[in-house]
Amino acid sequence: MGRRRGVELYRAPFPLYALRVDPKTGLLIAAGGGGAAKTGIKNGVHFLQLEQINGCLSASLLYSHDTETRATMNLALAGDILAAGQDAQCQLLRFQVHQQKSTKAEKPGSKEQGPRKRKGAAPAEKKSGEEAHHEGAELRVKNLEAVQTDFSTDPLQKVVRFNPDNTLLATGGTDGHVRVWKVPSLEKVLDFKAHEGEIGDLTFGPDGKLVTVGWDFKASVWQKDQLVAQLHWQENGPTSSNTPYRYQACRFGKVPDQPGGLRLFTVQIPHKRLRPPSPCYLTAWDSSTFLSLRTRSCGHEVISCLSVSESGTFLGLGTVTGSVAIYIAFSLQRLYYVKEAHGIVVTDVTFLPEKGCGPQLLGPHETALFSVSVDSRCQLHLLPSRRSVPVWLLLLMCVGLIIVTILLLQSAFPGFL
């Protein structure tokens, strides 16, 4: 396999920590910042317009939403509502895109970076609620409700997720509590201690279940605030018990050949960095019994983030050393890998949606994965379509081979049949 390289789509004026893609509008939403420190590094949420230009996927800045002194560290998307984790609070944003009949005049001072630069991008600084105009598109962003979601001595929201019908969102942070909130009022409906120490990740599953992973080496399954199961990986895993592992990430994904079926995926990493380094592992779990289905090593680079494609076909991974990989979800086989695609830790990865604008943007490729990093760059990773022979053609070839064999035997040995 030749050395692959990701495509740099965009470079922000601040470190990037989270991104999402809106399937309806084709917007790539990237967020981050320098925090409250007076370093001159801004904080914001950037809305990028994805387009196919001459067979290449391009991104250009449509709107920059200023988050003042708060860097956005995690994002969740539900329709036109964004949930942004900013310090110890969750801020809801609503964005709306309107197509205009005429293009607005270019405003001075606008800048954008990426494979294709266009005139008319919005200025980088705008106040909340202002509008942006971009080649016939008008974007409005409005701050909705905000609420404090973490109450430790050094509070920080680590993760936010919407439930499947987008009526609730769950947050987790450094105090080890899971808190569930109504959308969009952010009225708290549930608050319970899930882990000793900080929560690393959480994900909604079937029948209202919630899976959480924490720095206490546990992965737990909850029905509301009741513990219904815990995952047991290392007891039956491929590693020795003297190498402590913790769960880094968890995601549910669809099962492609089972309508309505779900499968849970987790990443396990060594709790301490050893010499020589121990491998990290990917595990697939049954979503009903929460028993392990298969586990596979995913290399010695420490995994930092995990994403599952919309159909559940692919898994995307980022590492603390800046590498990016795509795996087949069913077999956990690696299909794509770029070593040190970013200069530092990959903070988030997400797939191009397979519905809405996704197929048009994807073009001839099988899937597309976006990655962001503290190096301020957003990169695109394209997986070429794998050539495969249809089953009917294989059967036809087998039948033809049998007929040819019989004819050859009949010619060589008259009276064979």
Side-chain angles (χ1 to χ4, degrees), residues 107-140:
K107 298 185 179 181
S110 64
K111 293 183 180 179
E112 60 181 356
Q113 297 188 34
R116 180 172 180 263
K117 300 181 181 180
R118 304 190 304 180
K119 295 182 178 180
E125 298 183 37
K126 277 183 172 289
K127 295 181 180 180
S128 172
E130 290 190 1
E131 302 173 6
H133 304 280
H134 188 277
E135 292 194 357
E138 175 187 273
L139 179 67
R140 300 174 184 175

Side-chain angles (χ1 to χ4, degrees), residues 18 35 60 80 122 129 132 147-148 157 167 171 185 200 221 242 308 314-315 322 326 334-335 348 352 362 393:
S60 52
D80 62 353
V147 66
Q148 184 172 348
Q157 178 179 300
T167 58
T171 60
S185 67
V221 184
N242 58 4
V308 184
F314 301 107
L315 305 177
I326 299 175
R334 192 171 76 184
L335 289 177
D348 202 3
L352 182 70
L362 184 61
L393 183 57

Side-chain angles (χ1 to χ4, degrees), residues 156 168 321 392:
L156 179 66
L168 300 171
T321 49
W392 64 267

Side-chain angles (χ1 to χ4, degrees), residues 137-165:
E138 175 187 273
L139 179 67
R140 300 174 184 175
V141 180
K142 180 182 179 182
N143 284 331
L144 301 179
E145 301 295 328
V147 66
Q148 184 172 348
T149 61
D150 194 80
F151 296 88
S152 65
T153 54
D154 189 14
L156 179 66
Q157 178 179 300
K158 298 293 296 294
V159 59
V160 58
R161 298 277 182 265
F162 285 98
N163 70 340
D165 64 5

Side-chain angles (χ1 to χ4, degrees), residues 57-262:
L57 193 58
S58 170
S60 52
L61 180 63
L62 177 60
Y63 181 73
S64 175
H65 177 73
D66 184 10
T67 57
E68 300 177 349
T69 62
R70 301 181 304 277
T72 299
M73 306 299 291
N74 40 83
L75 280 176
L77 176 65
D80 62 353
I81 293 180
L82 276 175
Q86 299 171 351
D87 299 331
Q89 75 172 24
C90 182
Q91 172 72 61
L92 294 188
L93 305 169
R94 173 170 277 126
F95 64 95
Q96 294 179 317
V97 179
H98 303 278
Q99 295 299 323
Q100 301 298 306
K101 292 182 179 180
S102 59
T103 303
K104 300 292 182 179
E106 181 187 356
K107 298 185 179 181
S110 64
K111 293 183 180 179
E112 60 181 356
Q113 297 188 34
R116 180 172 180 263
K117 300 181 181 180
R118 304 190 304 180
K119 295 182 178 180
E125 298 183 37
K126 277 183 172 289
K127 295 181 180 180
S128 172
E130 290 190 1
E131 302 173 6
H133 304 280
H134 188 277
E135 292 194 357
E138 175 187 273
L139 179 67
R140 300 174 184 175
V141 180
K142 180 182 179 182
N143 284 331
L144 301 179
E145 301 295 328
V147 66
Q148 184 172 348
T149 61
D150 194 80
F151 296 88
S152 65
T153 54
D154 189 14
L156 179 66
Q157 178 179 300
K158 298 293 296 294
V159 59
V160 58
R161 298 277 182 265
F162 285 98
N163 70 340
D165 64 5
N166 299 329
T167 58
L168 300 171
L169 65 83
T171 60
T174 54
D175 66 0
H177 279 249
V178 168
R179 295 175 175 90
V180 181
W181 315 83
K182 288 184 180 179
V183 178
S185 67
L186 291 186
E187 175 188 348
K188 185 164 62 177
V189 297
L190 202 59
D191 183 343
F192 63 94
K193 182 78 170 178
H195 293 274
E196 297 298 329
E198 67 183 57
I199 293 175
D201 203 2
L202 57 81
T203 182
F204 278 100
D207 304 320
K209 291 186 176 67
L210 185 71
V211 176
T212 63
V213 300
W215 278 54
D216 56 2
F217 307 100
K218 295 180 181 179
S220 304
V221 184
W222 306 89
Q223 188 77 58
K224 294 187 176 180
D225 59 352
Q226 299 299 309
L227 180 65
V228 296
Q230 285 192 331
L231 305 186
H232 298 282
W233 171 78
Q234 194 160 1
E235 292 86 341
N236 302 310
T239 67
S240 60
S241 58
N242 58 4
T243 304
Y245 277 73
R246 65 177 175 86
Y247 296 90
Q248 170 71 1
C250 57
R251 290 288 187 281
F252 278 98
K254 295 179 181 179
V255 182
D257 57 348
Q258 297 178 18
L262 292 176

Side-chain angles (χ1 to χ4, degrees), residues 204-349:
F204 278 100
D207 304 320
K209 291 186 176 67
L210 185 71
V211 176
T212 63
V213 300
W215 278 54
D216 56 2
F217 307 100
K218 295 180 181 179
S220 304
V221 184
W222 306 89
Q223 188 77 58
K224 294 187 176 180
D225 59 352
Q226 299 299 309
L227 180 65
V228 296
Q230 285 192 331
L231 305 186
H232 298 282
W233 171 78
Q234 194 160 1
E235 292 86 341
N236 302 310
T239 67
S240 60
S241 58
N242 58 4
T243 304
Y245 277 73
R246 65 177 175 86
Y247 296 90
Q248 170 71 1
C250 57
R251 290 288 187 281
F252 278 98
K254 295 179 181 179
V255 182
D257 57 348
Q258 297 178 18
L262 292 176
R263 188 168 290 140
L264 176 66
F265 299 94
T266 61
V267 169
Q268 294 80 238
I269 65 172
H271 183 60
K272 295 181 179 180
R273 296 189 182 184
L274 305 173
R275 290 290 182 269
S278 300
C280 297
Y281 291 93
L282 265 173
T283 300
W285 305 80
D286 185 281
S287 63
S288 298
T289 63
F290 293 100
L291 296 176
S292 173
L293 297 174
R294 65 188 60 86
T295 292
R296 176 164 293 196
S297 169
C298 48
H300 292 79
E301 296 175 90
V302 178
I303 305 301
S304 56
C305 50
L306 166 70
S307 181
V308 184
S309 66
E310 189 174 14
S311 64
T313 305
F314 301 107
L315 305 177
L317 296 179
T319 76
V320 298
T321 49
S323 302
V324 176
I326 299 175
Y327 285 73
I328 299 175
F330 174 75
S331 63
L332 305 184
Q333 173 190 354
R334 192 171 76 184
L335 289 177
Y336 174 100
Y337 173 73
V338 178
K339 183 176 178 62
E340 298 175 0
H342 293 271
I344 197 169
V345 57
V346 178
T347 49
D348 202 3
V349 291

